[in-house]
Amino acid sequence: MQGLGALGAFIFIVGSLGIFAYLIIQDKPNAWLSLLPAIITSLVKLGNIKNRR
């Protein structure tokens, strides 16, 4: 079950990076805001992994 959560987080992060790349190509000034969900998800998953040990 934890593998499914990790896969979901991975897909979410890759999707956020894709949106970020698209916004950069389109020259949008606030493109970095699209990275916030990916950063938050990464930190939460990292915290969950460290707490299980």
Side-chain angles (χ1 to χ4, degrees), residues 8-39:
F10 176 76
I11 292 171
F12 185 76
I13 291 168
V14 170
S16 294
L17 291 175
I19 292 170
F20 174 71
Y22 173 76
L23 292 174
I24 289 293
I25 291 170
Q26 297 297 319
D27 198 29
K28 302 293 182 189
N30 293 328
W32 62 273
L33 289 174
S34 69
L35 287 179
L36 288 179
I39 292 169

